[in-house]
Every structure is written in structure tokens, then in C-alpha cells.
Amino acid sequence: MDQGNAAPITFDDFMKVDIRVGRIVAAEAFPQARKPAFKLTIDFGPEIGIKRSSAQITVNHSLDALVGTQVLAVVNFPPRQIGPFMSEVLTLGVPDENGQVMLIRPDRDVPLGGRLY
């Protein structure tokens, strides 16, 4: 998914994408997904609350290690039905050297709900 030649956008366009930090409070297997994925429950603090996300992160992340981790997610996309699961936010990652997802995370704890800018 190389976007090296993506069309330029304005700063106002960027600001329309609401990316916030949340803490994973639960992670479980999602065997019904077409591609291997986990179901994440993420706390974004009192303003946004708790949201759920389906994430294809099974290669580089384990269920046990995810709980308690802070992640970044787009919180203003419409919910998306993924099989029997409603994914409410898009948890963000980047590809590793093999094209597998690595989560984007702050390198130390920050307040929940903080917006990326």
C-alpha cells in the first residue's frame, strides 16, 4: 500500500482526520475474520470513551502483550462491519520489512484521548 505518489492535500484536509491515543483494555482472537485479526477494545478517555477495532496485527503482536498498550487510531471514520463484528475505529500501523503491520504507539504513556497533530 505504497502512497509515495499520493495526491497532495491541504492542512485543513489533514485536520479532518481525527487521530487519537487510546489504551487497549481488552484483546481477543477474531477467528471469523477473513484475514487473521484481533478484536481490540480501546479506551480513549472520557471525551471519546471506549471503542472497538478489528486489527490485522497477529504476526507482530500477541494478545497478552497488547492489553495495557497505548495505540493511535482514527476515531472519526464511520463504523465498519467486519463479519459479525462492528469496528468503530481504525487502529494505525505501518508495515515491517515483510509487509506485516506494526502498531504505531507513543514511546511513553501520554494522556488518553490526546489528538495527533
Side-chain angles (χ1 to χ4, degrees):
M1 192 145 123
D2 182 11
Q3 295 294 318
N5 295 322
I9 63 170
T10 67
F11 184 75
D12 287 341
D13 289 336
F14 172 73
M15 290 307 294
K16 291 177 186 175
V17 182
D18 193 359
I19 300 171
R20 303 288 182 122
V21 65
R23 183 178 311 281
I24 298 173
V25 294
E28 58 188 286
F30 187 10
Q32 302 91 340
R34 272 184 280 157
K35 294 182 179 178
F38 293 146
K39 292 188 234 179
L40 306 178
T41 304
I42 306 169
D43 181 0
F44 291 95
E47 181 185 337
I48 296 167
I50 293 180
K51 301 288 182 180
R52 299 188 71 199
S53 180
S54 171
Q56 295 174 2
I57 57 173
T58 60
V59 172
N60 288 316
H61 303 282
S62 68
L63 287 173
D64 294 341
L66 287 169
V67 176
T69 299
Q70 287 192 325
V71 293
L72 291 171
V74 176
V75 299
N76 66 331
F77 283 154
R80 185 173 178 186
Q81 189 76 42
I82 311 230
F85 182 77
M86 185 63 72
S87 188
E88 301 171 292
V89 299
L90 175 65
T91 306
L92 298 174
V94 294
D96 69 7
E97 62 278 356
N98 298 312
Q100 299 298 322
V101 180
M102 291 291 303
L103 290 171
I104 298 174
R105 307 187 246 198
D107 60 3
R108 63 183 175 96
D109 274 4
V110 295
L112 297 182
R115 185 170 183 172
L116 177 83
Y117 55 85

